[in-house]
Amino acid sequence: MIVVMRVGSPEAEVSRLCEEFKGWGLTPEKIVGKHKVVVGLVGDTADLEEALIREQSPWIETVLRVERPYKRASREFRHGEASEVVVSTPNGPVPVGEHHPVAVVAGPCSVENEEMIVETAQRVKAAGAKFLRGGAYKPRTSPYSFQGHGESALALLDAARQASGLGIITEVMDTADVAKIAEVADVLQVGARNMQNFALLKKVGAQDKPVLLKRGMSCTIDEWLMAAEYIMAAGNPNVILCERGIRTFDRKHTRNTLDVSVVPVLRSLTHLPIMLDPSHGTGFWELVPSMAKAAIAAGTDSLMIEVHPNPAKALSDGPQSLTPDRFDTLMKELAVIGNAVGRWESSREPALV
Ligand code: PEP
Ligand code: MN
């Protein structure tokens, strides 16, 4: 249920109402929008009459029932307004959301050594990226493939963070690692393979760092939003949804099928910020620029691009990684599309040479 308050409702009245709803066994969430205050009611509201709620205060404008299974993640829960996730980074806060410039995340699939991660961080920062990505703990299909350097790679990410000022995004696979990864990471990534690892979702929901939730490769949009709901229900409202390609029938020419149509679909269903990952979404670096441009044209709020100083020698995902030079070129091309749709930070416009 969403309780929409009239413009100018006194704060004390909104608080009084929230206390009343708590007394009914519900969890009220006050959301202060640009124009109005709304109170989202979470809990068992199936038998609750809208009229009974309306009677509780003359300041209530309307009461709406959210029919979707996800509540906090639903667009209605914020009365149609987009939310933003503001990530603290050494370079200052970086907002990710519908009303902000496209934020670009770039870096290698895996953190391999200090030199490569620091060099990549500096190169992608110079090209305009806001975040460095890099896996310390890697979810690999084969137990014999490189599994990531683990804890020692966290220290290397920290060095790259200090050297570049970029925010760090890295994956957490195990509930036991959440706290130590959160000490270094500015955003915790839950990977496609763990999208429905409910213990992990609850754990990242019970800590403060924003969460990047990748879409499971065979998951529907509703399942994905329900996974986001787990994180939000556990107390963390800062969730970014990342489309990274879904399993379809071609495995030869594309690794996955990047579902660009999720952008307008998610826009209507949820207020949460959206990221698209054309690297995992296609599997081949040659396809990344086209799909990155398509993602911006479609209205994504952010992009994730794998960049490696020497893709041929990468310990994971080399074939889909851009070199830093190719990433530079791509960022200049993206600026054209980003400016055309009014979503590019002006300082990132390509320098005239
Ligand atoms: C990754 O980001 O390196 C990764 C493993 O992604 P996904 O979970 O989308 O496969
Ligand atoms: Mn990867």
Side-chain angles (χ1 to χ4, degrees):
M1 294 284 217
I2 310 285
V3 181
V4 183
M5 304 300 294
R6 290 187 199 286
V7 175
S9 294
E11 228 179 279
E13 178 66 357
V14 179
S15 303
R16 186 195 65 77
L17 261 181
C18 288
E19 286 309 311
E20 177 68 27
F21 295 139
K22 276 187 207 159
W24 297 4
L26 301 171
T27 309
E29 264 185 33
K30 189 172 111 181
I31 298 148
V32 182
K34 234 183 280 155
H35 307 294
K36 281 183 181 162
V37 172
V38 305
V39 179
L41 293 181
V42 184
D44 187 4
T45 56
D47 296 328
L48 208 54
E49 293 288 336
E50 275 125 83
L52 178 68
I53 297 180
R54 220 173 293 120
E55 272 167 23
Q56 302 306 311
S57 168
W59 287 96
I60 293 177
E61 186 178 280
T62 42
V63 178
L64 306 166
R65 192 171 282 282
V66 181
E67 301 295 348
R68 305 186 199 285
Y70 40 88
K71 309 287 178 203
R72 290 174 165 91
S74 77
R75 188 99 192 175
E76 292 93 325
F77 205 77
R78 296 189 65 98
H79 203 45
E81 282 178 28
S83 60
E84 57 183 18
V85 171
V86 182
V87 186
S88 304
T89 77
N91 283 333
V94 179
V96 183
E98 197 178 319
H99 301 300
H100 297 287
V102 173
V104 178
V105 180
C109 183
S110 303
V111 177
E112 297 176 7
N113 57 59
E114 181 158 355
E115 194 190 346
M116 70 81 80
I117 196 68
V118 171
E119 181 199 325
T120 308
Q122 286 165 336
R123 289 293 307 270
V124 300
K125 158 114 194 300
K130 294 287 185 192
F131 297 97
L132 176 72
R133 60 144 294 140
Y137 299 86
K138 295 303 305 176
R140 304 307 301 278
T141 302
S142 164
Y144 309 118
S145 299
F146 175 60
Q147 302 286 306
H149 288 309
E151 203 162 338
S152 63
L154 294 179
L156 305 185
L157 282 169
D158 202 28
R161 186 176 187 272
Q162 312 277 339
S164 65
L166 293 175
I168 299 294
I169 301 186
T170 195
E171 179 162 352
V172 55
M173 297 201 298
D174 192 322
T175 52
D177 296 332
V178 170
K180 79 176 163 225
I181 295 176
E183 275 175 31
V184 172
D186 299 290
V187 177
L188 297 178
Q189 176 172 322
V190 173
R193 292 158 189 80
N194 272 317
M195 192 205 85
Q196 286 185 312
N197 178 338
F198 300 114
L200 185 60
L201 297 176
K202 287 180 194 166
K203 190 86 181 184
V204 295
Q207 58 81 55
D208 291 337
K209 292 282 167 82
V211 178
L212 179 67
L213 179 65
K214 287 195 145 194
R215 180 183 182 182
M217 59 191 81
S218 303
C219 286
T220 65
I221 291 173
D222 282 354
E223 286 165 343
W224 188 14
L225 290 170
M226 289 306 282
E229 190 79 13
Y230 262 92
I231 299 170
M232 299 173 93
N236 190 344
N238 294 310
V239 179
I240 302 170
L241 298 165
C242 180
E243 158 65 33
R244 46 76 74 203
I246 48 173
R247 234 350 126 74
T248 55
F249 44 84
D250 199 314
R251 302 280 292 147
K252 183 172 155 200
H253 300 291
T254 52
R255 178 181 178 186
N256 291 295
T257 298
L258 186 72
D259 183 2
V260 181
S261 70
V262 295
V263 178
V265 174
L266 289 175
R267 271 301 177 241
S268 70
L269 299 178
T270 181
H271 55 84
L272 295 173
I274 304 167
M275 181 180 292
L276 259 64
D277 169 357
S279 304
H280 295 87
T282 64
F284 298 98
W285 71 264
E286 294 92 330
L287 306 180
V288 169
S290 309
M291 297 316 285
K293 288 178 218 167
I296 294 183
T300 191
D301 304 322
S302 49
L303 278 174
M304 172 174 276
I305 312 276
E306 283 190 339
V307 176
H308 191 286
N310 186 357
K313 291 269 165 65
L315 296 180
S316 57
D317 286 350
Q320 67 194 34
S321 299
L322 298 182
T323 60
D325 284 349
R326 288 194 172 114
F327 180 69
D328 272 346
T329 305
L330 174 61
M331 288 296 275
K332 290 182 178 124
E333 292 171 1
L334 294 182
V336 177
I337 313 279
N339 281 316
V341 296
R343 298 288 302 278
W344 207 249
E345 197 176 78
S346 49
S347 59
R348 273 201 234 144
E349 279 170 36
L352 292 174
V353 280

